[in-house]
Amino acid sequence: MRYLFGLIYIFSAILALMAMPKYEEAGMVVFENPSDVSNSLLYFGLIIAFTAFILIAVRHSKILKAVIYFLIFLSVFYVLSPFVGVVSIVIAILVVVLLAKKPHWLVINFSALMLAAGITAIFGISLEPLPVIILLTILAIYDIISVYRTKHMISLAESVTAINVPMLFVIPRKDGNAYMGVGDVVMPNILVVSAQYFSNSPAIGFIKPPALFALIGGFLGLMVLLYIVEKRGGAHPGLPFVNFGAIAGYFLGLAVV
C-alpha cells in the first residue's frame, strides 16, 4: 500500500511539472504578485471556504458532483493536452461520463490524479516558494486541529467516500480500502512546482535541485505517515509529515546548489 501511494505521489508531481508550461501559456495564474505572502492567507481562506462548501453540499450530492466533475474535466484537459492535443477533450468527457455512470476505483484514482496535477501546476506557478512555505506550515497546523480536535476533516473524508467523488485516492485491500487525500499530494507538490518555476538554479535532467529535493522530502514524509497508519491504524493528519518533509527537502536542495 505504501509504495502504491508513493508512486501516485511522485507521478502527480511529475505530471504537474510537465503540464506547467501549458498552464503558463493559458495564463492560469491565480495571484498577480506571486511573492506576496498575504496570498498564503488568501489561499488558506479559499481552502476553508471550499471545505465548508463540501460539508454543506454533500447533503445535495448532485450539486457537489457537478462541481467536482467540472473541475475534473478541466484538469484532465489541461494536464493531458501537452501530450495528446485536442484528444484530451475526448478523454476528459469520457472520464466524466465514467465517473457519473460507473465510478470504478481506477477511474476515481485517474480522475484524482488529474485533479491533483492540475491544482498543483496552477498554484505552483502562482506562488513563489516563500509564500508556499508559509501556506504549508499553516495547513499542517490546521490539519492537526481538523483531524484530532474538531474532526471535521474525518467527516469530510467519509462524506466524499460515500458519494464516490475523486477527492481521495483509493487502494483496495482484502480487509477494506485504504485512502489518501488529494490534498496530501497537492499541497507539498505545490512547493515542488514553485521551486522548479521560480528557481534560477541549473536543472539536473528535467528538474532543478530545490524541486527535486522538495519532492524527495515530501515522499519520505509520506512514507513515514503511511508506516504510522499501518502500525497504529486510525486517522492521522498527513500534511505535517508531507509538508515539512517537502520544506526540509527544499532547503536542502538550495544548500547543495
Side-chain angles (χ1 to χ4, degrees):
M1 179 192 75
R2 270 185 286 166
Y3 302 110
L4 287 176
F5 280 138
L7 286 174
I8 290 172
Y9 182 91
I10 293 174
F11 192 48
S12 176
I14 293 174
L15 274 178
L17 290 171
M18 297 179 75
M20 184 177 67
K22 186 69 174 181
Y23 281 78
E24 180 186 15
E25 179 186 331
M28 298 183 70
V29 178
V30 181
F31 305 111
E32 292 185 3
N33 184 2
S35 63
D36 189 350
V37 295
S38 66
N39 292 334
S40 303
L41 298 178
L42 180 56
Y43 191 154
F44 179 65
L46 291 174
I47 291 174
I48 296 296
F50 188 65
T51 301
F53 167 75
I54 293 178
L55 289 172
I56 295 171
V58 74
R59 302 172 186 175
H60 309 280
S61 60
K62 291 183 179 179
I63 296 175
L64 179 58
K65 285 183 177 181
V67 172
I68 299 299
Y69 291 165
F70 177 70
L71 294 176
I72 292 297
F73 174 83
L74 291 179
S75 299
V76 173
F77 170 69
Y78 277 106
V79 171
L80 294 184
S81 59
F83 312 104
V84 295
V86 294
V87 177
S88 60
I89 297 177
V90 178
I91 298 174
I93 294 173
L94 177 61
V95 168
V96 171
V97 170
L98 288 174
L99 277 176
K101 298 297 184 181
K102 192 176 181 181
H104 189 273
W105 68 272
L106 287 174
V107 179
I108 291 175
N109 282 351
F110 178 80
S111 303
L113 182 66
M114 295 297 105
L115 182 62
I119 296 174
T120 300
I122 290 174
F123 285 97
I125 65 174
S126 300
L127 291 169
E128 289 187 2
L130 178 58
V132 175
I133 290 169
I134 294 173
L135 173 65
L136 297 188
T137 302
I138 294 172
L139 287 174
I141 297 170
Y142 167 72
D143 202 24
I144 293 172
I145 295 172
S146 63
V147 172
Y148 289 145
R149 296 297 297 272
T150 65
K151 300 186 184 298
H152 69 269
M153 198 58 69
I154 298 175
S155 299
L156 179 67
E158 292 173 347
S159 298
V160 297
T161 301
I163 61 174
N164 288 320
V165 293
M167 299 295 290
L168 296 168
F169 294 100
V170 184
I171 302 296
R173 300 188 305 182
K174 293 181 180 179
D175 57 345
N177 293 334
Y179 299 98
M180 177 174 66
V182 168
D184 294 336
V185 173
V186 168
M187 297 309 168
N189 281 333
I190 288 177
L191 181 57
V192 175
V193 174
S194 177
Q196 177 78 359
Y197 187 72
F198 291 102
S199 173
N200 294 320
S201 63
I204 301 174
F206 72 94
I207 192 168
K208 298 175 181 178
L212 174 62
F213 280 85
L215 176 58
I216 294 172
F219 172 79
L220 293 177
L222 178 64
M223 292 298 101
V224 173
L225 167 66
L226 294 176
Y227 176 80
I228 292 173
V229 171
E230 287 180 356
K231 294 299 181 181
R232 299 182 182 177
H236 298 277
L239 294 184
F241 295 91
V242 293
N243 284 4
F244 290 130
I247 292 170
Y250 169 74
F251 283 116
L252 181 58
L254 289 180
V256 301
V257 173

